[in-house]
Short mmCIF file of all heavy atoms in Angstrom, two decimals:
data_model
loop_
_atom_site.label_atom_id
_atom_site.label_comp_id
_atom_site.label_asym_id
_atom_site.label_seq_id
_atom_site.Cartn_x
_atom_site.Cartn_y
_atom_site.Cartn_z
N ASP A 1033 11.07 -28.70 -42.02
CA ASP A 1033 9.98 -29.37 -42.73
C ASP A 1033 9.21 -28.37 -43.59
O ASP A 1033 9.09 -27.18 -43.26
CB ASP A 1033 9.00 -30.00 -41.73
CG ASP A 1033 9.50 -31.31 -41.16
OD1 ASP A 1033 10.49 -31.86 -41.69
OD2 ASP A 1033 8.90 -31.80 -40.18
N THR A 1034 8.65 -28.89 -44.67
CA THR A 1034 7.77 -28.07 -45.51
C THR A 1034 6.36 -28.07 -44.94
O THR A 1034 5.78 -29.14 -44.71
CB THR A 1034 7.75 -28.60 -46.96
OG1 THR A 1034 9.06 -28.49 -47.52
CG2 THR A 1034 6.77 -27.81 -47.82
N VAL A 1035 5.85 -26.89 -44.70
CA VAL A 1035 4.50 -26.71 -44.15
C VAL A 1035 3.74 -25.77 -45.08
O VAL A 1035 4.18 -24.66 -45.34
CB VAL A 1035 4.56 -26.12 -42.72
CG1 VAL A 1035 3.16 -25.82 -42.21
CG2 VAL A 1035 5.29 -27.08 -41.78
N ILE A 1036 2.61 -26.24 -45.58
CA ILE A 1036 1.75 -25.42 -46.44
C ILE A 1036 0.67 -24.79 -45.58
O ILE A 1036 -0.04 -25.49 -44.84
CB ILE A 1036 1.11 -26.26 -47.56
CG1 ILE A 1036 2.19 -26.72 -48.55
CG2 ILE A 1036 0.03 -25.45 -48.28
CD1 ILE A 1036 1.66 -27.60 -49.68
N ILE A 1037 0.54 -23.47 -45.67
CA ILE A 1037 -0.50 -22.75 -44.92
C ILE A 1037 -1.43 -22.05 -45.90
O ILE A 1037 -0.98 -21.24 -46.72
CB ILE A 1037 0.13 -21.76 -43.93
CG1 ILE A 1037 1.01 -22.51 -42.92
CG2 ILE A 1037 -0.97 -20.96 -43.22
CD1 ILE A 1037 1.64 -21.64 -41.86
N CYS A 1038 -2.71 -22.39 -45.82
CA CYS A 1038 -3.73 -21.77 -46.66
C CYS A 1038 -4.10 -20.43 -46.02
O CYS A 1038 -4.55 -20.39 -44.88
CB CYS A 1038 -4.95 -22.67 -46.76
SG CYS A 1038 -4.58 -24.35 -47.30
N SER A 1039 -3.92 -19.35 -46.76
CA SER A 1039 -4.08 -18.02 -46.16
C SER A 1039 -5.14 -17.21 -46.89
O SER A 1039 -5.00 -16.89 -48.07
CB SER A 1039 -2.75 -17.25 -46.18
OG SER A 1039 -2.91 -15.99 -45.57
N TYR A 1040 -6.21 -16.85 -46.15
CA TYR A 1040 -7.31 -16.07 -46.70
C TYR A 1040 -7.86 -15.12 -45.64
O TYR A 1040 -9.03 -14.78 -45.65
CB TYR A 1040 -8.42 -16.99 -47.23
CG TYR A 1040 -8.48 -18.31 -46.48
CD1 TYR A 1040 -8.98 -18.39 -45.18
CD2 TYR A 1040 -8.01 -19.48 -47.06
CE1 TYR A 1040 -9.00 -19.58 -44.48
CE2 TYR A 1040 -8.02 -20.69 -46.38
CZ TYR A 1040 -8.53 -20.75 -45.09
OH TYR A 1040 -8.54 -21.93 -44.40
N GLY A 1041 -6.97 -14.72 -44.69
CA GLY A 1041 -7.40 -13.80 -43.66
C GLY A 1041 -6.28 -13.51 -42.67
O GLY A 1041 -5.18 -14.06 -42.74
N TYR A 1042 -6.58 -12.65 -41.73
CA TYR A 1042 -5.60 -12.14 -40.77
C TYR A 1042 -5.02 -13.24 -39.90
O TYR A 1042 -3.82 -13.26 -39.62
CB TYR A 1042 -6.30 -11.09 -39.89
CG TYR A 1042 -5.43 -10.43 -38.86
CD1 TYR A 1042 -4.68 -9.30 -39.18
CD2 TYR A 1042 -5.38 -10.91 -37.55
CE1 TYR A 1042 -3.88 -8.68 -38.21
CE2 TYR A 1042 -4.59 -10.30 -36.59
CZ TYR A 1042 -3.85 -9.19 -36.92
OH TYR A 1042 -3.07 -8.58 -35.98
N PHE A 1043 -5.86 -14.17 -39.45
CA PHE A 1043 -5.36 -15.20 -38.53
C PHE A 1043 -4.59 -16.29 -39.27
O PHE A 1043 -3.74 -16.95 -38.68
CB PHE A 1043 -6.52 -15.76 -37.70
CG PHE A 1043 -7.08 -14.71 -36.76
CD1 PHE A 1043 -8.25 -14.05 -37.07
CD2 PHE A 1043 -6.39 -14.35 -35.62
CE1 PHE A 1043 -8.74 -13.05 -36.24
CE2 PHE A 1043 -6.87 -13.36 -34.78
CZ PHE A 1043 -8.05 -12.70 -35.09
N CYS A 1044 -4.85 -16.44 -40.56
CA CYS A 1044 -3.98 -17.29 -41.38
C CYS A 1044 -2.57 -16.71 -41.42
O CYS A 1044 -1.57 -17.44 -41.34
CB CYS A 1044 -4.53 -17.40 -42.80
SG CYS A 1044 -6.19 -18.05 -42.95
N GLU A 1045 -2.50 -15.39 -41.54
CA GLU A 1045 -1.18 -14.74 -41.58
C GLU A 1045 -0.45 -14.91 -40.24
O GLU A 1045 0.77 -15.01 -40.20
CB GLU A 1045 -1.34 -13.26 -41.92
CG GLU A 1045 -1.79 -13.01 -43.36
CD GLU A 1045 -0.77 -13.51 -44.37
OE1 GLU A 1045 0.44 -13.21 -44.22
OE2 GLU A 1045 -1.17 -14.21 -45.32
N ARG A 1046 -1.20 -14.96 -39.16
CA ARG A 1046 -0.58 -15.21 -37.85
C ARG A 1046 0.02 -16.61 -37.82
O ARG A 1046 1.11 -16.82 -37.27
CB ARG A 1046 -1.61 -15.05 -36.73
CG ARG A 1046 -1.02 -15.31 -35.35
CD ARG A 1046 -2.01 -14.98 -34.25
NE ARG A 1046 -2.29 -13.56 -34.19
CZ ARG A 1046 -3.16 -13.01 -33.34
NH1 ARG A 1046 -3.82 -13.78 -32.49
NH2 ARG A 1046 -3.38 -11.71 -33.34
N GLN A 1047 -0.66 -17.59 -38.42
CA GLN A 1047 -0.11 -18.94 -38.50
C GLN A 1047 1.21 -18.92 -39.27
O GLN A 1047 2.17 -19.61 -38.90
CB GLN A 1047 -1.11 -19.87 -39.19
CG GLN A 1047 -2.35 -20.17 -38.38
CD GLN A 1047 -3.35 -21.00 -39.16
OE1 GLN A 1047 -3.41 -20.94 -40.39
NE2 GLN A 1047 -4.15 -21.78 -38.45
N ILE A 1048 1.25 -18.15 -40.35
CA ILE A 1048 2.47 -18.06 -41.17
C ILE A 1048 3.62 -17.49 -40.34
O ILE A 1048 4.73 -18.02 -40.35
CB ILE A 1048 2.20 -17.21 -42.42
CG1 ILE A 1048 1.25 -17.96 -43.36
CG2 ILE A 1048 3.51 -16.88 -43.15
CD1 ILE A 1048 0.72 -17.12 -44.50
N ILE A 1049 3.35 -16.41 -39.62
CA ILE A 1049 4.38 -15.80 -38.78
C ILE A 1049 4.91 -16.79 -37.76
O ILE A 1049 6.12 -16.94 -37.55
CB ILE A 1049 3.82 -14.54 -38.08
CG1 ILE A 1049 3.53 -13.44 -39.11
CG2 ILE A 1049 4.78 -14.04 -37.01
CD1 ILE A 1049 2.73 -12.28 -38.55
N MET A 1050 4.00 -17.50 -37.12
CA MET A 1050 4.40 -18.46 -36.10
C MET A 1050 5.22 -19.59 -36.71
O MET A 1050 6.25 -20.00 -36.15
CB MET A 1050 3.13 -19.02 -35.42
CG MET A 1050 3.38 -19.72 -34.11
SD MET A 1050 1.81 -20.22 -33.34
CE MET A 1050 1.18 -18.63 -32.78
N ALA A 1051 4.79 -20.09 -37.86
CA ALA A 1051 5.50 -21.20 -38.52
C ALA A 1051 6.90 -20.78 -38.96
O ALA A 1051 7.85 -21.56 -38.87
CB ALA A 1051 4.68 -21.70 -39.70
N GLU A 1052 7.03 -19.55 -39.44
CA GLU A 1052 8.35 -19.06 -39.86
C GLU A 1052 9.28 -18.95 -38.66
O GLU A 1052 10.47 -19.28 -38.75
CB GLU A 1052 8.20 -17.72 -40.56
CG GLU A 1052 7.56 -17.84 -41.95
CD GLU A 1052 7.29 -16.50 -42.61
OE1 GLU A 1052 7.25 -15.47 -41.89
OE2 GLU A 1052 7.12 -16.47 -43.85
N ARG A 1053 8.75 -18.52 -37.52
CA ARG A 1053 9.58 -18.43 -36.31
C ARG A 1053 10.06 -19.80 -35.85
O ARG A 1053 11.12 -19.91 -35.22
CB ARG A 1053 8.81 -17.75 -35.19
CG ARG A 1053 8.59 -16.26 -35.38
CD ARG A 1053 8.05 -15.63 -34.12
NE ARG A 1053 7.95 -14.19 -34.23
CZ ARG A 1053 7.85 -13.36 -33.21
NH1 ARG A 1053 7.85 -13.85 -31.98
NH2 ARG A 1053 7.74 -12.07 -33.38
N LEU A 1054 9.28 -20.82 -36.15
CA LEU A 1054 9.64 -22.17 -35.75
C LEU A 1054 10.63 -22.83 -36.72
O LEU A 1054 11.03 -23.97 -36.51
CB LEU A 1054 8.38 -23.04 -35.63
CG LEU A 1054 7.45 -22.67 -34.46
CD1 LEU A 1054 6.13 -23.41 -34.56
CD2 LEU A 1054 8.12 -22.97 -33.12
N GLY A 1055 11.00 -22.12 -37.77
CA GLY A 1055 12.03 -22.61 -38.66
C GLY A 1055 11.54 -23.57 -39.73
O GLY A 1055 12.33 -24.33 -40.30
N PHE A 1056 10.25 -23.54 -40.04
CA PHE A 1056 9.73 -24.39 -41.09
C PHE A 1056 9.99 -23.77 -42.46
O PHE A 1056 10.16 -22.55 -42.59
CB PHE A 1056 8.21 -24.60 -40.93
CG PHE A 1056 7.79 -25.16 -39.61
CD1 PHE A 1056 6.53 -24.89 -39.09
CD2 PHE A 1056 8.62 -25.99 -38.87
CE1 PHE A 1056 6.12 -25.40 -37.88
CE2 PHE A 1056 8.23 -26.52 -37.65
CZ PHE A 1056 6.97 -26.21 -37.14
N ASN A 1057 9.97 -24.60 -43.48
CA ASN A 1057 9.95 -24.13 -44.87
C ASN A 1057 8.49 -23.86 -45.21
O ASN A 1057 7.73 -24.77 -45.56
CB ASN A 1057 10.54 -25.19 -45.80
CG ASN A 1057 10.38 -24.81 -47.27
OD1 ASN A 1057 10.39 -23.64 -47.61
ND2 ASN A 1057 10.22 -25.81 -48.13
N VAL A 1058 8.08 -22.62 -45.06
CA VAL A 1058 6.65 -22.27 -45.15
C VAL A 1058 6.28 -21.94 -46.59
O VAL A 1058 6.89 -21.07 -47.23
CB VAL A 1058 6.32 -21.08 -44.24
CG1 VAL A 1058 4.85 -20.70 -44.38
CG2 VAL A 1058 6.64 -21.42 -42.78
#
Side-chain angles (χ1 to χ4, degrees):
D1033 281 348
T1034 297
V1035 175
I1036 292 178
I1037 299 182
C1038 306
S1039 182
Y1040 29 73
Y1042 181 87
F1043 293 102
C1044 301
E1045 291 297 312
R1046 180 173 293 178
Q1047 291 175 331
I1048 291 169
I1049 292 169
M1050 197 175 286
E1052 288 175 341
R1053 288 190 175 199
L1054 291 170
F1056 304 152
N1057 173 31
V1058 178

